[in-house]
């Protein structure tokens, strides 16, 4: 277990980690990029070995298809092959006869059938034996082909075979395996200390081994020697077992270790038993002796995945990573089972060819790459893709350069220039387009939020609204799955839980905003997000400081004005109260003094006041007036819930009310005045309705619509953003109706909550 070592702590694996400069006793010390380059070169050499081995088999230049009891049908004849002009498309070969030997019938023979498609060991051995007999005739140097029309054609297979005759399926299978192995090696190169990274690399190398052997024997023209074909089949099945076993062990380790048992030892033992049973043919499994063990591997992987999913229900970071892993595994493996393995076990005929299934297998490892891109699997960030882009970009220039020299005979300098142009103008634009469409962008653009943030912070009416605007900007900029305040007082933004959380200081309190998962949960936060949040925080702090300085200056000026009004104007009004010639003059002086004191109080203490409390004070004032005038007062309130009034709102509403009641008392000589207030909960509008009758025999003087008081009411209503209607009522009385939005008060109230 030393090679896979990790420290178990609270049911989670804390990997001991290895410095990037160390790779263990069996590898030289190499940095990640050289190690990735070595992996690319090694894999490329193995592909070249496959190409060399395939092209140096005996070659007849024929494309053959099974024709049942009629043998095999010639589909195409290569003009460079030894049978060009001697066979034509549509001819049927019924037998192959070695020189000096007996004819070998081709009836019922399928040159493209694989031994592992046979459901039992007997069929497996029989197919290999028939392949071996035909290969002996073909590989002996000269053979006789017998056609359906009785011709006996002596053929000498050619070697080497032209490389351009290799099928597209051969190259696509190698490409799938190459990509899968590169992803595994790339993850391991940067995270050599993590067991999960090692297991992913092991699984990917197993996938490469399976594709390498598949590409080799799928390109055979008619037959392979029995020993070679048997060895390739065993190697293919062993590589497939390593691939599946690696995935099983990976899900037993990642994102948390599920058991204290030596997982890798048991998985290796399972793979060895699978392979030894196939070689020694101990147990004949029901239904399909080769596919049932693969199905068992698949079911074990499903069980491990379900176990991981259950344990991660309270760990959002683990579940986010696991969601992408499971998507990659289940999409690719389930497609392979549904389209290939299950149809073969049920009716001996797959829905898709093996080439397509290999491509589906590559999706598994491409899915892991996508997980790195979106959820930083294995703690890898986007620079992992930048490293691959650098490496593959350079290799692509080299490959295009060699291809131009080989195909078009260009001089090395000309070929190099053309390669650079092709890669720069074709490869990189396509790569950037794919990057933009597959990646969830982690870049945030401050310019679209700075002006709005500065304006809203500068206009905020208090600390609560300032904090509410700061929260709204963070929400709009990063689009977190959730945002809430938590205890803490960091000076600068920071990352938590490997990027699951972004902590940003509050502007007005000693707490922090915790943002969970960016882009509505589709990605983790990165260092770039932290830097952008720091830049935005610096701007917000500067704007808030300027706004506070402005407010401080305004507060000082208000205090000075309030002192001047109190010491000078209020004193003069109080003197008028004491020296009033009659009660009416005294009353008017007191009203002016009360209004002045309200203005002074608003200047000294510009804090919101409760609507219900203000209405109660105004009712008492109006009742004093109506009682003194012998008028009945009906006062109605329908608030539902309380609201806050800014000082400006409170002053204007009070002046509108007193002006309307004063006009009624002065001009209508009423017997009853009704005042009704209603607060609409949905819209936040305050409705005011004032109605008075006209005493019988009284002729109203100075119609209110033409007076300065009515004009002042309209002006104050517009200042609050409301609407006011006044005029004669249908019952002969007079009415004043208005609607005033309390949006500012509502915002302050919400921010305080």
């Amino acid at each position: 277990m030393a090679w896979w070592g990790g420290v178990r702590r609270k049911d989670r694996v804390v990997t001991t980690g290895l410095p990037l400069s160390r790779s263990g006793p069996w590898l030289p010390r190499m940095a990640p990029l050289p190690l990735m380059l070595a992996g690319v070169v090694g894999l490329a050499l193995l592909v070249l070995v496959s190409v060399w081995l395939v092209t140096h088999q005996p070659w007849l230049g024929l494309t053959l298809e099974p024709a049942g009891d009629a043998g095999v049908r010639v589909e195409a004849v290569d003009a460079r092959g030894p049978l060009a002009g001697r066979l034509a498309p549509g001819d049927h070969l019924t037998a192959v006869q070695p020189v000096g030997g007996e004819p070998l019938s081709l009836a019922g023979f399928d040159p493209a059938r694989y031994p592992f498609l046979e459901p039992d060991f007997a069929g497996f051995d029989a197919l290999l034996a028939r392949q071996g007999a035909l290969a002996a005739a073909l590989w002996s140097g000269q053979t006789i082909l017998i056609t359906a029309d009785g011709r006996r054609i002596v053929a000498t297979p050619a070697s080497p075979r032209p490389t351009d005759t290799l099928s597209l399926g051969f190259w696509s299978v190698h490409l799938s395996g190459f990509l899968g192995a590169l992803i595994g090696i790339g993850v391991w190169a940067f995270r050599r200390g993590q067991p999960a990274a090692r297991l992913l690399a092991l699984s990917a190398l197993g996938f490469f081994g399976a594709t390498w052997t598949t590409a080799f024997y799928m390109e055979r023209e008619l037959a392979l020697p029995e020993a070679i074909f048997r060895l390739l089949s065993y190697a293919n099945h062993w590589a497939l077992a390593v691939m599946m076993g690696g995935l099983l062990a990976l899900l037993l380790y990642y994102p948390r270790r599920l058991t204290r048992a030596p997982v890798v030892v048991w998985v290796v033992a399972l793979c060895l038993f699978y392979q030894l049973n196939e070689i020694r043919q101990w147990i004949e499994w029901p239904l399909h002796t080769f596919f049932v063990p693969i199905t068992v591997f698949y079911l074990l992987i499903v069980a491990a995945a379900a176990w991981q999913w259950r344990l991660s229900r309270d760990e959002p970071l683990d579940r986010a990573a696991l969601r992408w892993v499971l998507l990659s595994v289940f999409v690719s493996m389930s497609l392979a089972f549904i389209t290939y393995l299950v149809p073969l076990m049920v009716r001996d005929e797959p829905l898709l060819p093996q080439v397509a299934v290999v491509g589906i297998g590559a999706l598994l490892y491409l899915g892991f790459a996508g997980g790195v891109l979106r959820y930083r699997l294995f703690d890898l960030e986007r620079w992992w893709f930048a490293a691959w882009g650098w490496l593959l970009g350079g290799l692509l220039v080299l490959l295009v350069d060699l291809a131009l020299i080989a195909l078009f005979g260009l001089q090395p300098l000309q070929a190099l220039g053309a390669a650079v142009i092709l890669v720069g103008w074709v490869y990189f634009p396509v790569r950037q387009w794919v990057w933009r469409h597959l990646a969830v962008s982690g870049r945030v653009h401050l310019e679209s939020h700075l002006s709005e943030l500065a304006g809203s912070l500068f206009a905020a009416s208090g600390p609560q609204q300032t904090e509410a605007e700061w929260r709204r900007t963070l929400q709009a900029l990063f689009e977190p799955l959730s945002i809430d305040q938590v205890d803490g007082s960091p000076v600068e933004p920071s990352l938590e839980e490997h990027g699951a959380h972004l902590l940003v200081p509050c502007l007005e309190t000693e707490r922090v905003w915790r943002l969970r998962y960016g882009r509505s949960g589709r990605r983790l936060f990165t260092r770039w997000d932290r830097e952008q949040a720091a830049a935005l925080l610096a701007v917000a702090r500067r704007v808030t400081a300027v706004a506070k300085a402005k407010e401080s200056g305004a507060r000082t000026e208000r205090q000075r004005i309030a002192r001047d009004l109190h010491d000078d104007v209020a004193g003069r009004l109080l003197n008028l109260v004491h020296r009033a010639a009659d009660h009416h003059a005294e009353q008017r002086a007191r009203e002016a003094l009360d209004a002045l004191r309200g203005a002074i109080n608003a200047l000294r203490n510009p804090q919101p006041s409760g609507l219900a409390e203000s209405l109660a004070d105004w009712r008492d004032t109006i009742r004093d007036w109506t009682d003194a005038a012998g008028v009945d007062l009906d006062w109605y309130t329908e608030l539902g819930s309380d609201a806050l009034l800014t000082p400006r709102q409170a002053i204007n509403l009070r002046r509108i009310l007193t002006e309307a009641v004063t006009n009624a008392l002065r001009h209508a000589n009423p017997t009853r005045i009704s005042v009704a207030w209603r607060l609409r909960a949905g819209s936040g509008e305050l409705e005011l309705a004032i109605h008075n009758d006209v005493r019988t025999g009284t002729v109203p003087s100075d119609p209110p619509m033409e007076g300065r008081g009515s004009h002042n009411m309209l002006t104050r209503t517009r200042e609050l953003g409301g609407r006011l209607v006044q005029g004669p009522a249908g019952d002969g009385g007079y009415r004043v109706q208005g609607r005033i939005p309390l949006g500012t008060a509502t915002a302050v109230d919400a921010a305080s909550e």
Side-chain angles (χ1 to χ4, degrees):
M1 288 301 291
W3 190 70
W4 302 96
V7 180
R8 183 176 176 88
R9 184 181 300 164
K10 294 183 180 180
D11 294 328
R12 295 174 63 93
V13 172
V14 181
T15 56
T16 57
L18 291 175
L20 293 181
S21 60
R22 298 183 61 186
S23 303
W26 47 278
L27 271 181
R29 298 182 179 183
M30 298 178 68
L33 285 178
L35 189 59
M36 291 164 61
L37 180 60
V40 169
V41 172
L43 295 173
L45 288 176
L46 288 173
V47 172
L48 291 177
V49 168
S50 173
V51 172
W52 190 91
L53 291 174
V54 169
T55 55
H56 282 74
Q57 298 177 33
W59 180 61
L60 297 174
L62 302 177
T63 301
L64 304 173
E65 290 292 336
D69 293 338
V72 295
R73 182 177 61 255
V74 178
E75 293 292 322
V77 181
D78 195 286
R80 294 165 292 179
L83 294 174
R86 305 170 67 187
L87 283 175
D91 288 341
H92 284 74
L93 302 180
T94 58
V96 174
Q97 181 177 355
V99 176
E102 296 294 324
L104 302 172
S105 174
L106 295 177
F109 179 72
D110 184 355
R113 187 168 179 82
Y114 307 122
F116 61 82
L117 297 181
E118 300 298 329
D120 50 34
F121 289 129
F124 178 82
D125 292 336
L127 192 150
L128 286 177
R130 192 174 188 184
Q131 279 275 327
L134 291 172
L138 292 173
W139 289 49
S140 62
Q142 195 174 64
T143 189
I144 301 172
L145 302 178
I146 303 173
T147 66
D149 56 8
R151 287 181 294 160
R152 299 172 61 86
I153 302 173
V154 179
T156 302
S159 183
R161 167 185 179 179
T163 305
D164 61 358
T165 64
L166 297 177
S167 68
L168 180 61
F170 174 84
W171 296 111
S172 62
V173 167
H174 270 311
L175 177 63
S176 297
F178 191 84
L179 289 176
L182 279 187
I183 292 170
I185 291 174
V187 171
W188 170 75
F190 284 96
R191 290 292 180 263
R192 276 170 269 178
Q194 291 188 2
R198 294 167 176 169
L199 291 168
L200 178 64
L202 180 65
S203 175
L205 290 176
F207 178 65
F208 177 80
T211 59
W212 193 94
T213 51
T214 298
F216 188 95
Y217 58 62
M218 74 178 291
E219 201 61 20
R220 69 190 187 278
E221 190 176 43
L222 187 65
L224 283 174
E226 180 179 1
I228 295 177
F229 211 161
R230 186 178 292 273
L231 179 62
L232 287 173
S233 296
Y234 290 155
N236 178 270
H237 300 168
W238 169 250
L240 188 61
V242 170
M243 171 192 168
M244 302 289 285
L247 287 177
L248 173 59
L250 172 64
L251 285 172
L252 291 173
Y253 266 101
Y254 187 81
R256 63 177 63 196
R257 186 170 178 175
L258 299 181
T259 175
R260 294 181 179 274
V263 171
V264 175
V265 172
W266 285 108
V267 171
V268 169
L270 185 63
C271 293
L272 285 174
F273 174 77
Y274 162 76
Q275 190 62 46
L276 287 175
N277 180 69
E278 185 175 297
I279 295 173
R280 304 299 299 177
Q281 299 185 359
W282 292 327
I283 302 174
E284 189 92 56
W285 303 110
L287 193 61
H288 201 293
T289 196
F290 297 102
F291 291 161
V292 166
I294 301 300
T295 304
V296 171
F297 269 115
Y298 176 69
L299 295 177
L300 290 175
I301 290 172
V302 171
W307 193 1
Q308 285 279 13
W309 185 261
R310 179 178 178 275
L311 293 181
S312 65
R313 61 184 179 274
D314 297 325
E315 295 288 342
L317 181 63
D318 287 352
R319 179 152 287 195
L322 187 61
R323 184 182 294 112
W324 196 263
V325 171
L326 297 185
L327 180 65
S328 303
V329 172
F330 286 134
V331 166
S332 57
M333 295 186 67
S334 297
L335 280 176
F337 268 80
I338 293 172
T339 61
Y340 194 78
L341 291 185
V342 173
L344 276 174
M345 288 190 288
V346 173
R347 59 190 184 96
D348 195 33
E349 184 178 350
L351 298 178
L352 292 178
Q354 190 174 21
V355 174
V357 176
V358 171
I360 291 173
L363 292 177
L364 189 153
Y365 301 97
L366 293 174
F368 278 99
V372 171
L373 192 62
R374 287 178 177 262
Y375 289 105
R376 285 171 45 199
L377 298 183
F378 311 104
D379 295 328
L380 292 171
E381 297 193 43
R382 294 169 189 266
W383 46 258
W384 186 72
F385 284 88
W388 274 117
W390 171 84
L391 181 64
L392 296 180
L395 287 175
L396 188 59
V397 171
L398 178 61
L399 293 175
V400 172
D401 181 34
L402 295 176
L404 291 174
I405 293 174
L407 297 177
F408 301 102
L410 297 181
Q411 295 298 317
L413 186 59
Q414 296 173 329
L416 179 60
V420 171
I421 292 174
L422 287 173
V423 173
W425 288 359
V426 178
Y427 165 70
F428 284 108
V430 170
R431 192 193 73 166
Q432 289 303 107
W433 182 88
V434 172
W435 177 272
R436 286 194 304 268
H437 284 75
L438 292 183
V440 175
S441 176
R443 301 283 176 164
V444 295
H445 303 285
L446 297 181
E447 60 272 11
S448 60
H449 297 274
L450 282 177
S451 60
E452 185 179 355
L453 174 65
S456 61
L457 291 181
F458 202 76
S461 61
Q464 294 86 0
Q465 190 176 356
T466 297
E467 202 62 60
E469 292 297 333
W470 178 232
R471 180 190 187 280
R472 182 193 60 76
T473 301
L474 294 175
Q475 176 72 45
L477 189 62
F478 296 104
E479 300 177 21
L481 191 61
S482 65
I483 177 172
D484 55 343
Q485 275 195 20
V486 296
D487 293 332
S489 56
V491 178
E492 296 295 334
S494 60
L495 297 176
E496 190 179 68
E497 294 289 335
H498 306 289
H501 303 156
L502 175 64
L503 302 181
V504 182
C506 294
L507 293 178
E508 298 291 349
T509 64
E510 295 296 323
R511 306 187 77 195
V512 295
W513 289 109
R514 181 176 62 187
L515 287 69
R516 295 164 60 90
Y517 301 109
R519 294 293 179 267
S520 301
R522 289 177 290 168
R523 70 175 185 88
L524 300 178
F525 293 107
T526 65
R527 184 176 58 185
W528 173 266
D529 296 309
R530 184 185 63 196
E531 293 172 354
Q532 296 301 291
L536 191 68
L537 178 63
V539 173
R541 283 172 171 169
R542 180 65 60 87
V543 173
T544 303
V546 172
K548 287 182 177 178
K550 167 182 167 287
E551 177 60 27
S552 177
R555 188 184 306 111
T556 301
E557 184 63 15
R558 286 196 300 268
Q559 295 293 339
R560 185 191 66 78
I561 295 173
R563 286 195 306 271
D564 291 345
L565 291 175
H566 180 272
D567 296 342
D568 189 6
V569 180
R572 294 176 184 272
L573 287 175
L574 185 60
N575 188 42
L576 288 176
V577 171
H578 293 316
R579 296 186 178 185
D582 53 35
H583 178 73
H584 179 71
E586 179 185 352
Q587 185 65 26
R588 300 299 292 176
R590 287 189 181 279
E591 291 175 8
L593 182 60
D594 289 342
L596 179 62
R597 285 172 174 170
I600 293 173
N601 183 64
L603 287 171
R604 287 178 170 174
N605 185 29
Q607 297 297 321
S609 57
L611 174 61
E613 181 182 357
S614 298
L615 291 179
D617 291 340
W618 301 341
R619 180 190 59 198
D620 293 341
T621 300
I622 300 302
R623 187 173 296 282
D624 289 342
W625 293 359
T626 56
D627 289 347
V631 176
D632 294 331
L633 175 66
D634 296 328
W635 187 278
Y636 303 98
T637 57
E638 184 181 339
L639 302 183
S641 61
D642 199 6
L644 294 180
L645 299 177
T646 65
R648 195 71 247 167
Q649 287 174 328
I651 290 175
N652 283 345
L653 286 172
R654 181 178 182 276
R655 296 285 173 81
I656 293 170
L657 171 65
T658 57
E659 191 66 42
V661 174
T662 299
N663 284 341
L665 293 174
R666 180 182 300 166
H667 300 288
N669 191 20
T671 61
R672 181 177 298 277
I673 295 177
S674 299
V675 180
W677 303 86
R678 181 186 179 191
L679 180 63
R680 290 182 173 271
S683 62
E685 281 190 333
L686 179 64
E687 294 182 354
L688 166 63
I690 303 172
H691 177 272
N692 63 270
D693 61 357
V694 177
R695 194 184 300 268
T696 304
T698 300
V699 178
S701 63
D702 299 331
M705 284 298 292
E706 299 178 3
R708 175 172 293 184
S710 297
H711 175 75
N712 289 342
M713 285 193 294
L714 289 172
T715 301
R716 292 183 183 281
T717 304
R718 294 192 191 103
E719 182 181 337
L720 297 179
R723 305 179 302 279
L724 187 72
V725 177
Q726 51 185 328
D731 58 359
Y734 198 83
R735 63 181 175 84
V736 176
Q737 289 183 315
R739 285 190 176 186
I740 295 91
L742 302 183
T744 303
T746 303
V748 173
D749 188 39
S752 65
E753 291 177 0

